[in-house]
Amino acid sequence: MSHTSNIEEEETFAPIYANQEDFNSSDTVSSFLSNTAYDPSRLHPLAGLGGGLDYLSLDDDVSTLGTSSGILPSRGWSDDLTYGTGLTYLTGLGMGGAFGMYEGFKSSPSPALKIRVNTVLNSMTRRGPFIGNSAGIMALMYNGINGAISRGRGQYDPINSVVAGAVTGAVFKSTAGLRAAGSAGGICAVLAGIWAFGKDKILS
C-alpha cells in the first residue's frame, strides 16, 4: 500500500499558473519575428557560410551538355542509349503486333471465330517480339556506336549518326553475307541521316 502511494505522489505534478505580468499587450507576432536574428553560420560550424547564403544557379538548357537532343531531353549518351533503345523496342513491338494481327486475319484457314482468334494471336506473338527485339538490338548498337564516335571525335553532329547507322546495319546483317550487310548498312545510314538532319524541322 505504501509502495502504491509513493508512485502516485511521484506522478503528481503541481499546476503552473501564468501571471498577468507575463503578458504584454504590445507584443504581436510581427514584432516577435522581426526581433528574431538568424545567423546562417550556426547551421554548421564548418560550413563556412559567413554572413549569407549562396545559391547555385542551374541552366536548364540541355543543348549545352554536349549531346544531341531528340524527342526526350538528353543529358548524355547514356540517356540516349536508354531512351532510344526502350522507345525503339516498344515501337517495333507495337508495329510487329499490328502486322501480326493483319497477317492473322488474312491467313486464317477457317471463318470460325475461335480459329481466327487463335490464328491472330499466334501471328501477333510471332511477329511482335521478333520485330521488337530486332529493333531494340539495332537501337542499342546504334546509340552505343554513336556515343563512342561522338566521344572519340569530341563533337556531336549528324555525321556521327550517319556513320553509326551504316556500321549498325552492316554488323546486324553481317551473317547474311557482304551484299546483305552492305545493303543494310546503306539503308540504315540513309535513315539515320534523314533523322539527324531533319529532326529539328520535324520536332519544331
Side-chain angles (χ1 to χ4, degrees), residues 107-182:
S107 62
S108 178
S110 174
L113 180 61
K114 291 184 178 180
I115 296 178
R116 296 192 69 179
V117 171
N118 188 30
T119 305
V120 169
L121 292 177
N122 290 335
S123 183
M124 290 178 65
T125 55
R126 183 176 66 254
R127 297 293 185 183
F130 174 76
I131 296 179
N133 292 335
S134 300
I137 291 172
M138 293 186 67
L140 183 65
M141 293 172 57
Y142 167 78
N143 286 287
I145 295 173
N146 189 19
I149 294 175
S150 301
R151 184 66 62 87
R153 294 184 61 204
Q155 58 183 352
Y156 300 82
D157 52 23
I159 298 178
N160 301 336
S161 300
V162 175
V163 175
V167 175
T168 299
V171 173
F172 185 76
K173 298 295 291 185
S174 59
T175 57
L178 294 177
R179 185 175 181 179

Side-chain angles (χ1 to χ4, degrees), residues 23-49:
F23 298 96
N24 189 354
S25 58
S26 61
D27 291 338
T28 61
V29 176
S30 300
S31 62
F32 173 77
L33 294 177
S34 62
N35 294 329
T36 302
Y38 173 70
D39 186 9
S41 61
R42 296 184 61 187
L43 293 174
H44 196 284
L46 301 179
L49 296 177

Side-chain angles (χ1 to χ4, degrees), residues 63-147:
S63 61
T64 60
L65 296 176
T67 184
S68 59
S69 59
I71 297 177
L72 297 175
S74 174
R75 295 185 180 275
W77 70 272
S78 60
D79 284 5
D80 294 338
L81 187 68
T82 303
Y83 297 147
T85 303
L87 183 61
T88 306
Y89 170 76
L90 293 177
T91 302
L93 186 65
M95 294 177 63
F99 176 71
M101 179 183 293
Y102 169 77
E103 186 182 42
F105 277 115
K106 186 178 180 180
S107 62
S108 178
S110 174
L113 180 61
K114 291 184 178 180
I115 296 178
R116 296 192 69 179
V117 171
N118 188 30
T119 305
V120 169
L121 292 177
N122 290 335
S123 183
M124 290 178 65
T125 55
R126 183 176 66 254
R127 297 293 185 183
F130 174 76
I131 296 179
N133 292 335
S134 300
I137 291 172
M138 293 186 67
L140 183 65
M141 293 172 57
Y142 167 78
N143 286 287
I145 295 173
N146 189 19

